Amino acid sequence: MSAPFFTDVTEPIAYEGAGSDNPLAFRWYDPDRVVAGRRMHDHLRFSVAYWHSFNWNGFDVFGDGTLDRPWLESGADPMAQARTKMAAAFEFFDKLGVGFFCFHDRDIAPEGASFKQSCAFLHEMADAAAEHMERSGVGLLWGTANLFFHPRYAAGAATNPDPEVFAYAAAQVRACLEVTHRLGGANYVLWGGREGYETLLNTDLQRELDQLGRFLHLVVEHKHRIGFDGAILIEPKPFEPTKHQYDFDVAAVHAFLQRYDLVDEVKLNIEVNHATLAGHDFHHEVAAAVAAGLLGSVDANAGDDRLGWDVDRFPVSVEQMSLGLYEILRGGGLTTGGFNFDAKLRRQSLHRSDLFHAHIGGMDTVAHALLVAAEMLADGVFERGRAQRYRGWDGELGRGILAGDRSLQDLHAYVSSRDTSPQPVSGRQEALENLVARYVHQVR
Ligand code: XUL
Ligand code: CO
C-alpha cells in the first residue's frame, strides 16, 4: 500500500478558534498568533514522535497489535517498509502542520545483519528523510539512538558490565549523532533506556556511574568535533524498564552532571509522565531545571493518577500544562527545545484518523496552556505576591545573611537583643489556585 494513507483528512488542519465544532480543526493552536512577543509556533515548536505514532501497532505486554497501520505490514522488505513508513509519517506531518519530528535511529531505519549494514540502512534512510524535510519544511527537533530494544542491551548500554557493549553503544551513538547533525537537528537526546539496575547483588553501582560519565564525555567531545551546535539532552526517568534508573529525576541528573563536570555541556529533556513517576509535578521538574540552568526540551504527555507506569497519554489537562508553561515562561522560554508528543494512542483507538485527533487535542491543550501562562505572567498576579513574600531578604538582615556576613553568634545576638518574635503569614494557596482556575476559564 502506498501514500496517501490519511484519506479521511483531505485538508491541512487549520485554526478555527474556540467556537469551532469541527473535530479536525485547532481551537487554540494558532501558529502565527503572537504571545509574549513570540509566535505560538516558535514558543512551542511542536514535534511528533516517530516511534509511538509510526512504529507502533498497538501491541502491549498482554496482546498483539490492534491499530490500523498498513505501513507496518510484515512480509515486506524492511527497507521498502521503512520508506513506506516515512511517506506515511511525512504525509501526517504535512497535514497536521507540525514543525518538527523526533526519531530513534531504529525507528527510521531497520537494524541490519551487521553493525555496518545497520549504519548503511540509517544513512540511506537519512537521505530519504532529508528529501522529505526539504520538500515539506518539517524540521528535526531531536534524534536519539535506541540503546534499549536489542537483547545486547539487556544489562544496559554505557553501564553494561561488558565494555564490548559500551563500545557498540558508542559506535551507534556516533552514527546517530552524525545523522542528527546532517538533518539539522536542534538537539540530541539520551534517555538512559536500561542505564540502571535490577539487583545490587550483581551490580557495581559506582563503576556503572563512572562508565556513564565517560560515555557522556565521549558524546560531548564528538559533538564538538563535528561542529554540531544543537544541545545534548538527558531525559530523566526514575524506573521502567529497570527497577532503578540512574537518571532518576532532574535533581539526580543535576548532581550527576556536576560530579562528572558536564553541567555546561548537557541540558535536560523533561517528560511529564516521567516527572509524575518520580513523585513530582511536571512544573516542579521544570522549575528545578530552570533553577539549575538546565532546561532543554519537553516530552509532552500525561500519566494516570491511579496507574504507576508510563502510560504516555496525550495531554488533556490545560490546568496542569499551564503550571508547567508558567515555569517555562518564567525561565525565559524554550530555545533549542520544543514540545514533543512522546505520547501513545489508547490501544482501542484503531483508526488512522485517531492519530490526528490525539495530536490536535495535545496541541490545543498546550497552546491553551501557553495563553493562560502568558497572561498570568503578564498580569504579575503571582510575581507580585512572591516579591512581597520574600521582601525581607532585600532588607539589611536578609542581604547580610546571604552575603555571609552574619554568623550563628551574630544572629543569636540579633534575636536576643531585639527580643524578636516573627509572625507566620498566610501562604494564600487556595486563593492562588482559584486564580489559576479563573485564567484557565477566561483566557481567549
Ligand atoms: C521512554 C521515553 C523515550 C525517550 C526517547 O520512556 O520517553 O521514548 O523519549 O528514547
Ligand atoms: Co520521552
Side-chain angles (χ1 to χ4, degrees):
M1 190 180 178
S2 59
F5 289 101
F6 298 98
T7 43
D8 288 357
V9 179
T10 47
E11 296 294 318
I13 307 299
Y15 169 73
E16 291 186 6
S20 171
D21 57 7
N22 175 3
L24 288 170
F26 295 119
R27 299 171 63 245
W28 295 94
Y29 180 56
D30 183 5
D32 291 323
R33 175 167 174 188
V34 175
V35 180
R38 226 173 148 190
R39 286 167 71 228
M40 247 190 189
H41 175 276
D42 301 329
H43 267 291
L44 302 175
R45 295 162 58 83
F46 283 129
S47 157
V48 175
Y50 211 96
W51 49 103
H52 293 318
S53 291
F54 295 95
N55 222 14
W56 178 64
N57 64 5
F59 75 88
D60 69 9
V61 285
F62 300 104
D64 252 343
T66 50
L67 310 180
D68 173 28
R69 296 288 180 269
W71 54 86
L72 290 180
E73 266 159 28
S74 54
D77 159 51
M79 281 300 277
Q81 197 182 316
R83 285 182 184 282
T84 311
K85 186 181 10 171
M86 194 170 274
F90 276 86
E91 182 195 337
F92 180 79
F93 304 158
D94 281 346
K95 288 183 173 171
L96 183 64
V98 76
F100 297 90
F101 73 112
C102 293
F103 65 74
H104 296 89
D105 47 2
R106 302 297 179 245
D107 302 325
I108 62 166
E111 176 125 6
S114 64
F115 178 70
K116 251 181 152 163
Q117 192 181 39
S118 298
C119 287
F121 284 168
L122 180 63
H123 286 292
E124 203 178 316
M125 288 313 299
D127 290 342
E131 279 172 33
H132 280 290
M133 290 168 72
E134 171 78 29
R135 179 191 43 75
S136 63
V138 173
L140 177 61
L141 187 65
W142 47 264
T144 187
N146 182 327
L147 305 179
F148 45 89
F149 194 83
H150 193 281
R152 77 173 68 85
Y153 294 126
T159 61
N160 201 285
D162 181 356
E164 294 287 343
V165 178
F166 182 108
Y168 202 103
Q172 200 180 321
V173 168
R174 181 207 166 169
C176 190
L177 180 56
E178 290 185 4
V179 160
T180 300
H181 180 39
R182 173 147 70 94
L183 295 176
N187 306 273
Y188 184 84
V189 165
L190 293 131
W191 165 59
R194 293 182 193 274
E195 313 293 25
Y197 65 84
E198 294 298 330
T199 171
L200 279 175
L201 298 176
N202 63 11
T203 300
D204 186 335
L205 188 143
Q206 178 59 64
R207 223 184 235 282
E208 294 200 356
L209 287 172
D210 287 348
Q211 290 171 212
L212 193 54
R214 189 86 286 279
F215 195 87
L216 258 291
H217 271 283
L218 295 180
V219 177
V220 167
E221 279 161 27
H222 197 68
K223 158 194 158 143
H224 291 303
R225 186 168 301 131
I226 62 176
F228 175 64
D229 57 10
I232 303 288
L233 307 177
I234 290 186
E235 184 175 321
K237 184 174 184 180
F239 45 80
E240 202 197 296
T242 74
K243 179 179 172 184
H244 183 104
Q245 301 267 134
Y246 293 127
D247 300 335
F248 193 93
D249 61 1
V250 168
V253 177
H254 184 206
F256 173 87
L257 294 176
Q258 284 176 316
R259 177 169 172 188
Y260 292 97
D261 196 20
L262 286 157
V263 215
D264 297 332
E265 293 286 0
V266 178
K267 288 191 161 51
L268 303 178
N269 183 38
I270 300 175
E271 177 162 326
V272 181
N273 203 167
H274 296 178
T276 43
L277 287 178
H280 300 305
D281 289 322
F282 168 56
H283 48 279
H284 165 83
E285 287 292 80
V286 172
V290 168
L294 294 176
L295 180 63
S297 199
V298 172
D299 271 3
N301 54 23
D304 185 294
D305 289 345
R306 285 173 295 104
L307 299 179
W309 70 85
D310 199 6
V311 294
D312 282 335
R313 290 171 56 221
F314 278 81
V316 290
S317 167
V318 175
E319 188 198 329
Q320 285 306 306
M321 231 357 129
S322 299
L323 299 175
L325 257 306
Y326 186 78
E327 297 303 327
I328 290 174
L329 293 185
R330 274 186 83 216
L334 298 175
T335 54
T336 61
F339 278 81
N340 171 48
F341 289 107
D342 195 356
K344 294 205 282 281
L345 291 173
R346 297 307 85 188
R347 200 163 166 266
Q348 295 175 62
S349 304
L350 314 175
H351 298 145
R352 286 172 232 169
S353 56
D354 288 321
L355 212 44
F356 277 94
H357 297 296
H359 282 87
I360 290 169
M363 289 161 83
D364 269 343
T365 298
V366 179
H368 188 168
L370 171 69
L371 295 174
V372 172
E375 277 207 25
M376 293 193 304
L377 197 60
D379 292 352
V381 283
F382 304 120
E383 300 315 306
R384 274 196 303 277
R386 205 192 308 261
Q388 175 74 7
R389 192 160 182 247
Y390 290 89
R391 74 187 183 286
W393 289 95
D394 298 330
E396 199 193 326
L397 175 67
R399 280 189 282 121
I401 293 172
L402 289 182
D405 296 340
R406 304 290 171 98
S407 65
L408 274 193
Q409 236 172 316
D410 295 337
L411 295 173
H412 184 272
Y414 173 87
V415 171
S416 38
S417 67
R418 286 175 178 71
D419 195 18
T420 64
S421 173
Q423 296 302 306
V425 177
S426 173
R428 304 183 60 251
Q429 179 169 338
E430 295 77 4
L432 298 174
E433 287 168 349
N434 293 351
L435 266 178
V436 175
R438 225 167 76 193
Y439 276 89
V440 168
H441 293 292
Q442 282 176 6
V443 101
R444 282 289 161 261

